Amino acid sequence: MTHSQKILILDFGSQYTQLIARRIRENNVYSEIQPHNYPLEKIKLHKPKGIILSGGPQSVYDQDAPQIDKKLFELDIPILGICFGLQLIAKELGGKVEPAINREYGKTEFEILQTNELFKDVNTKSTVWMSHGDLVTELPEGFIINGRSENSPICAVSNSSKKIYGLQFHPEVSHTEFGNKILTNFLFNICKCSPDWSPKSFISAEIEDIRKEVGKDYVICALSGGVDSSVAAVLVSKAIGERLICVHVDTGLMRKNESHNIIKLFNDNLKLRIVHIDAAELFLSRLKGIADPEQKRKIIGNAFIEVFEKEAKKYPDVKFLVQGTLYPDVIESVSVKGKSATIKTHHNVGGLPEKMNLKLIEPFRELFKDEVRKIGRELGLPEDFINRHPFPGPGLAVRILGEVTKEKLEILRQVDEIYINEIKSANIYNQIWQAFSVLLPVRTVGVMGDFRTYENVIALRAVTSTDGMTADWYRFDYAILENISNKIIRNVKGVNRVVYDISSKPPSTIEWE
Ligand code: XMP
């Protein structure tokens, strides 16, 4: 990728690796994560301004511990090793690492013994975040000790002339008091980066890359209306214009007016080339009589591929497929095994690229959702679109428990519209990661006027989350909930009871299926 300046992070499997990348980009420097075994030749091609060796769960002396090409230390590129990264530097350059008698986890006091350019403007004593079982016990030649903690006498080391630095603690974790200062010292004092990375510069670098990669070929995308894939489509269209063909498949499982609004925004306002396929009848007929959630998903996935493939065949010059894959979609930071293949299947449009022999364009593979939102804003997508809650590919089918029918879809669409509108008018939509309603396959007794009713139950779900991996239920003001419940029961025929889901993820999931 042609970002003019970048920091390369080699990932040894730490749970914090993503956080390092994010902190760096927050300081307006582009950073990219690559697996620890990323070949030296490729590293050189990136021309990184600096390299960070991440932490990792293993001991450098484990038999299967990840290794590093020692020539990395001769590239004359500044290196910062964090935790496992520090221990690897020590081991590879002739020092010694041993299991700690007193392991350190959590907040610890760090004391600078001899300051240097990495610790400029950092207090002599400060709180840092530790998470390690091994310790550096002997320094490699040419290194000095810069700081210690209670249980790590060698807690920060450096060889300033070679610009190699190591920290036992995690500067990327917010509990490390001067963590950001240390990182910015590395970025700006040591690597001499300039803080010029921004959504704008990302867009222009990506446009250049996409043009180079695609050449005169055509690109296709499935435009569902989700934020990530939509922003990706707009970005690609800026690069190659009409050679991007967006296919919007209306599965009949969308929310009220959703397909209409998507077409309006992308076709009329943003001038993307869109093919609109109304496949509602096909999806509904395939789903007839099916209650098992996994079976429903499979049927929807296969029908989607069938419709999409049929359309794509009309464009023989198509060689690429755009997807809005985000970094958290790339499972487990796949780290130690090498970052390769594994993308959550539901994001990988059901194996489309392999089946159709298309190459993937995934401009946001390194980014987080909030970063993609910033890019979407910069590309001119409207704010209410950018802030939309995630919506699953199989749509309302996973929110109707049991068989999906036209009538049930109609009920759920009406409920969902009321629910979301109320949340928006209470001004809390953006505090919530995702809010939706679920139509349960049970009926309960109610009373309306003088009549007994026997109708459907609706479950409301609203969660807060940062990435959808874990989630907590949203604490509504009771008055808002009351209003939502009243409006639903009063206005939607066929519903006489509303309940609110108060489970977190884990152990529950966000969707009900
Ligand atoms: P769960 O229910 O697994 O959901 O806690 C986590 C997040 O993933 C979304 N989700 C999907 N997104 N296709 C998607 O694009 C799918 O098949 C799918 N299933 C779940 C879900 O809405 C939540 O944001």
Side-chain angles (χ1 to χ4, degrees):
M1 168 168 320
T2 19
H3 296 289
S4 56
Q5 301 198 347
K6 87 169 64 154
I7 296 289
L8 205 60
I9 301 165
L10 296 181
D11 182 13
F12 292 88
S14 162
Q15 54 173 325
Y16 298 129
T17 305
Q18 306 177 24
L19 206 52
I20 306 173
R22 190 192 182 85
R23 293 276 177 259
I24 293 174
R25 293 199 293 263
E26 279 169 3
N27 284 297
N28 301 319
V29 174
Y30 186 65
S31 69
E32 200 171 304
I33 300 170
Q34 294 294 348
H36 71 89
N37 55 359
Y38 197 60
L40 199 72
E41 288 315 309
K42 284 201 176 164
I43 292 179
K44 283 192 211 160
L45 285 179
H46 282 272
K47 299 202 181 95
K49 298 283 282 181
I51 296 173
I52 293 185
L53 310 179
S54 85
Q58 283 172 291
S59 159
V60 286
Y61 290 119
D62 285 350
Q63 272 222 312
D64 58 347
Q67 304 289 326
I68 201 164
D69 190 332
K70 246 172 125 168
K71 293 201 198 87
L72 190 73
F73 299 110
E74 289 154 26
L75 294 180
D76 202 25
I77 298 172
I79 292 179
L80 173 64
I82 296 175
C83 197
F84 180 91
L86 155 75
Q87 293 158 13
L88 201 62
I89 292 172
K91 177 188 160 236
E92 292 296 334
L93 297 180
K96 202 166 168 191
V97 178
E98 290 178 88
I101 298 162
N102 296 308
R103 292 160 168 238
E104 284 174 299
Y105 290 101
K107 287 183 185 176
T108 308
E109 190 179 80
F110 171 71
E111 182 184 358
I112 296 177
L113 300 172
Q114 187 166 349
T115 192
N116 66 2
E117 49 287 4
L118 193 64
F119 296 108
K120 188 167 180 281
D121 299 329
V122 175
N123 286 1
T124 309
K125 286 190 176 174
S126 65
T127 303
V128 297
W129 186 260
M130 291 280 206
S131 173
H132 68 101
D134 284 356
L135 275 183
V136 176
T137 50
E138 263 175 46
L139 277 183
E141 210 181 296
F143 278 74
I144 61 163
I145 302 175
N146 297 101
R148 66 182 185 93
S149 71
E150 191 183 341
N151 292 316
S152 302
I154 304 182
C155 190
V157 306
S158 63
N159 180 335
S160 288
S161 64
K162 293 209 151 153
K163 297 205 171 72
I164 302 177
Y165 305 81
L167 301 172
Q168 185 61 71
F169 59 86
H170 289 270
E172 69 277 19
V173 173
S174 59
H175 303 295
T176 296
E177 220 179 322
F178 288 89
N180 197 46
K181 186 72 218 152
I182 293 170
L183 284 178
T184 55
N185 283 340
F186 181 68
L187 298 177
F188 304 122
N189 295 347
I190 296 168
C191 302
K192 311 284 183 210
C193 294
S194 37
D196 55 8
W197 188 77
S198 63
K200 204 176 190 151
S201 67
F202 177 87
I203 292 167
S204 48
E206 281 297 328
I207 286 178
E208 202 180 306
D209 273 7
I210 293 165
R211 281 189 185 142
K212 251 190 239 157
E213 194 178 354
V214 172
K216 299 228 169 321
D217 289 327
Y218 279 65
V219 181
I220 198 162
C221 81
L223 194 74
S224 63
V227 174
D228 312 328
S229 59
S230 299
V231 178
V234 175
L235 176 63
V236 173
S237 84
K238 294 263 183 231
I240 61 163
E242 292 261 300
R243 281 184 294 124
L244 170 70
I245 298 150
C246 304
V247 179
H248 175 72
V249 179
D250 181 353
T251 58
L253 306 168
M254 315 280 281
R255 288 163 292 193
K256 198 164 182 180
N257 293 329
E258 193 157 24
S259 276
H260 170 81
N261 292 341
I262 290 165
I263 301 293
K264 193 160 172 285
L265 173 64
F266 288 91
N267 202 16
D268 302 355
N269 301 5
L270 296 164
K271 310 285 178 211
L272 264 67
R273 177 176 174 184
I274 297 191
V275 185
H276 180 193
I277 302 174
D278 183 354
E281 289 301 328
L282 174 85
F283 280 82
L284 270 179
S285 66
R286 297 264 170 97
L287 286 168
K288 199 166 168 24
I290 308 294
D292 177 73
E294 268 309 300
Q295 225 182 328
K296 283 201 269 184
R297 269 182 184 272
K298 279 206 187 100
I299 289 170
I300 294 166
N302 290 338
F304 185 87
I305 291 182
E306 193 180 311
V307 173
F308 189 81
E309 222 180 352
K310 190 167 157 210
E311 188 57 34
K313 282 211 177 106
K314 297 181 185 163
Y315 309 92
D317 291 330
V318 166
K319 299 280 184 318
F320 295 88
L321 176 78
V322 190
Q323 286 192 337
T325 317
L326 304 185
Y327 190 79
D329 302 333
V330 182
I331 290 175
E332 287 185 71
S333 96
V334 192
S335 45
V336 183
K337 286 177 235 111
K339 216 166 95 173
S340 62
T342 31
I343 295 166
K344 270 190 211 165
T345 45
H346 65 245
H347 284 278
N348 201 345
V349 205
L352 264 183
E354 300 83 25
K355 196 151 186 257
M356 295 172 58
N357 200 17
L358 295 174
K359 283 183 250 172
L360 275 180
I361 298 181
E362 297 177 307
F364 309 140
R365 236 189 118 78
E366 305 293 334
L367 306 188
F368 292 87
K369 198 168 200 85
D370 60 325
E371 294 176 313
V372 171
R373 285 186 162 136
K374 282 185 197 156
I375 288 162
R377 267 181 210 118
E378 187 68 40
L379 285 167
L381 281 154
E383 197 61 26
D384 58 343
F385 183 84
I386 295 286
N387 291 326
R388 289 178 94 194
H389 292 169
F391 185 64
L396 299 182
V398 293
R399 297 176 180 173
I400 291 173
L401 306 196
E403 188 190 1
V404 179
T405 63
K406 241 184 200 159
E407 295 68 39
K408 290 185 191 171
L409 281 163
E410 191 43 44
I411 291 178
L412 195 55
R413 280 199 187 103
Q414 289 180 38
V415 170
D416 197 73
E417 189 186 32
I418 295 172
Y419 185 31
I420 299 300
N421 282 348
E422 287 304 314
I423 287 177
K424 282 186 177 162
S425 49
N427 250 331
I428 50 176
Y429 185 83
N430 291 344
Q431 294 171 23
I432 297 170
W433 164 267
Q434 207 169 1
F436 57 89
S437 34
V438 182
L439 181 60
L440 303 189
V442 284
R443 289 198 286 168
T444 66
V445 174
V447 50
M448 276 190 192
D450 292 333
F451 297 99
R452 229 173 95 96
T453 59
Y454 190 52
E455 304 278 21
N456 296 290
V457 184
I458 286 289
L460 302 178
R461 181 90 163 127
V463 295
T464 52
S465 175
T466 50
D467 52 14
M469 307 294 280
T470 59
D472 194 10
W473 56 281
Y474 180 74
R475 269 59 170 177
F476 271 109
D477 188 304
Y478 284 167
I480 299 175
L481 269 184
E482 181 184 13
N483 191 25
I484 293 168
S485 164
N486 285 342
K487 276 207 171 142
I488 290 173
I489 295 173
R490 225 180 281 139
N491 293 296
V492 184
K493 214 165 157 257
V495 176
N496 68 356
R497 191 176 298 272
V498 172
V499 296
Y500 185 54
D501 181 353
I502 51 166
S503 355
S504 61
K505 172 182 179 178
S508 300
T509 51
I510 295 177
E511 301 289 345
W512 280 45
E513 305 267 352

